[in-house]
Amino acid sequence: MSGIFEYNGGSIVGMKGKNCIAMACDRRFGQQMSTITTNYQKVFKIQDNILLALSGLNSDIHTFYALMEKEINLYNLKENRKMKPTTFANLVASSLYERRFGPFFVTPIVAGLENGKPILATYDSIGCKSDLDDFQVGGTGGNYIYGACEAFFKPDMSPEELEEVIGQSLVSGCDRDSLSGWGGVVYVLTEQKLTVKILKTKQT
Amino acid sequence: MQYLDNYLQSKGGYDYTNVKRNELMKAQGFKEIPFTKTGTTIVGVIFDGGVVMAADTRATAGSIVADKNCEKLHPLAPNIWAAGAGTAADLHHQCAHFNAKLKLQRLNLNRQSRVNEVITKLTTKLFPYRGHIGVALIIGGIDSNGPQLASVSPHGNYVYHPFQSMGSGSLAALGILEAKFQDGLTKQQAIDLAIEAIEAGIFHDMGSGSNVDVVAITKEGVDYRRNIRQFNAKSHQKQIPYHFPANNTPALRKYEFNFEKQELSEIGQEMEIIE
């Protein structure tokens, strides 16, 4: 048996653009070497301007997403306003650190737009927030996607170009990882809309 | 009154509900992912009238560089800063927690925070956790007792010394400090010494790298220089950057959710859908 994070497999990537932000994930849900389904959702829309991508153990992905949904719904009801992306990013960090000695096996990426400015944060499984880079990766194929991102990325891209670049980075990276792939989904968030593109990969 | 239960559940402190499950998984043979550590070189140097602290900016997860430019110098009080090595999540959250705790104390007592207060609070918190909270800190500050520099280990041990280094690159940095430190340095001399010590750590230790951050604390105030020295800046631009034409990546389906109208629509099919 390998690591807990390699049990289900999966990869996610987030990228900043000019007043826009993109997130991409693969679609595989496996149990070690077997593939169970090829349409598993790993990116969740928490709010109109916040996306949460999760990779790692799928049961913890589901639990953590449910926990975050609960937190944001309670916040909306109590405060009667929307949550800011930077606030949500801190909430994810605190929620992960709360379980410091019994962690969730997830590596989240939070993407959002705050007053038009893109916010991107990634975490290790115990809540170390890292929000300075222009792109973040997670999951079993993450290291391969790093390479592709370093090559393809340019600062201040338009939404259309960002969509292409993040899609190509994801597909290039996942092609080298046996536990990720079976399709890809690209989410591009701007102030006006969220575009969702289901990619056609080698095996879809 | 269900919401009360939920409220009381998150009273604060650590949540241990997943521990049993995780232990079972470990017993079955699964290996855990390495947490982000700050491999790190951090140093502190006392000079005439204050204290200088410096750190590198690399955060590692196993052998991968997780963050090329992270911040390892954390303010605990307007006159006290901490440089941290160890598990990055612990460092970030513990320093944020102590910052808030000290601020509350200052508001209550209307007194400046002192370095020995910080050391006591830190060590009394860390010792009961038997080293499991992985923070190795260098605490430096200036208060009514003058400039002070101390290091705190994850198990709760502390040492006061005019120069300190911690982290995986500490031995490399210590070589520079032992050779070149003397009493009565000026502020600029201390900054230069600290940068040189971090440089040694960056080049000789795999766990440290990228840039150098420096903070100088004196009675007049705090001088924080983020990325004062950059050793790993990109040396060249791509000659022919990649350029992807629009709609280059084939799509099965494309949807659009408009926020103002709050409606989902499907955008025209680029390819024949094979289901």
Side-chain angles (χ1 to χ4, degrees), chain A residues 97 100-101, chain B residues 14 37-39 42 83-88 90-91 94 98 119-139 150-159 165-168 170:
Chain A
Y97 191 68
R100 164 68 174 85
F101 298 114
Chain B
Y14 290 118
K37 299 215 175 225
T38 59
I42 47 175
T87 308
D90 285 331
L91 284 166
Q94 295 300 327
F98 277 102
I119 303 294
T120 315
K121 285 182 164 56
L122 256 175
T123 51
T124 47
K125 165 123 196 222
L126 291 175
F127 180 72
Y129 284 93
R130 315 295 292 158
H132 286 288
I133 298 184
V135 294
L137 295 161
I138 296 182
I139 312 286
S151 68
V152 178
S153 83
H155 285 267
N157 177 48
Y158 65 91
V159 171
S165 79
M166 288 202 107
S168 55
S170 63

Side-chain angles (χ1 to χ4, degrees), chain A residues 5-201:
Chain A
F5 283 84
E6 281 83 56
Y7 186 70
N8 292 127
S11 308
I12 50 175
V13 54
M15 239 185 227
K16 285 189 194 174
K18 193 173 175 69
N19 301 329
C20 60
I21 196 151
M23 197 86 102
C25 65
D26 72 318
R27 304 188 77 191
R28 180 180 178 270
F29 167 30
Q31 276 176 359
Q32 294 187 305
M33 283 292 132
S34 301
T35 301
I36 308 297
T37 93
T38 56
N39 61 353
Y40 198 79
Q41 185 186 7
K42 291 168 198 162
V43 176
F44 305 96
K45 182 168 87 86
I46 298 290
Q47 209 172 256
D48 274 352
N49 58 342
I50 305 176
L51 290 173
L52 173 68
L54 293 162
S55 70
L57 190 67
N58 278 11
S59 77
D60 279 353
I61 287 177
H62 186 80
T63 310
F64 192 74
Y65 162 64
L67 185 68
M68 290 299 105
E69 262 289 289
K70 175 200 101 173
E71 294 290 344
I72 202 151
N73 285 340
L74 279 175
Y75 185 93
N76 288 337
L77 287 168
K78 274 188 248 182
E79 309 242 346
N80 199 24
R81 63 187 172 107
K82 289 204 167 118
M83 198 189 265
K84 284 196 220 149
T86 38
T87 312
F88 183 70
N90 286 332
L91 176 65
V92 171
S94 303
S95 307
L96 289 170
Y97 191 68
E98 199 182 11
R99 288 154 185 82
R100 164 68 174 85
F101 298 114
F104 283 124
F105 300 116
V106 291
T107 45
I109 299 182
V110 168
L113 278 176
E114 193 163 315
N115 301 327
K117 204 166 75 78
I119 306 286
L120 187 66
T122 193
Y123 314 80
D124 66 350
S125 58
I126 48 172
C128 169
K129 185 166 73 118
S130 168
D131 56 5
L132 300 168
D133 287 324
D134 292 326
F135 52 84
Q136 304 284 7
V137 303
T140 51
N143 293 337
Y144 311 113
I145 302 178
Y146 259 142
C149 286
E150 289 276 6
F152 297 149
F153 179 80
K154 283 183 300 210
D156 291 332
M157 285 186 279
S158 69
E160 294 76 30
E161 209 185 343
L162 188 62
E163 191 179 54
E164 290 303 319
V165 168
I166 200 177
Q168 289 292 326
S169 303
L170 176 80
V171 171
S172 312
C174 288
D175 274 352
R176 283 288 179 184
D177 179 33
S178 55
L179 300 171
S180 308
W182 285 103
V185 192
V186 175
Y187 300 76
V188 181
L189 185 65
T190 61
E191 290 251 25
Q192 293 79 33
K193 60 185 177 182
L194 170 69
T195 329
V196 181
K197 184 165 153 180
I198 302 177
L199 302 175
K200 184 179 194 316
T201 58

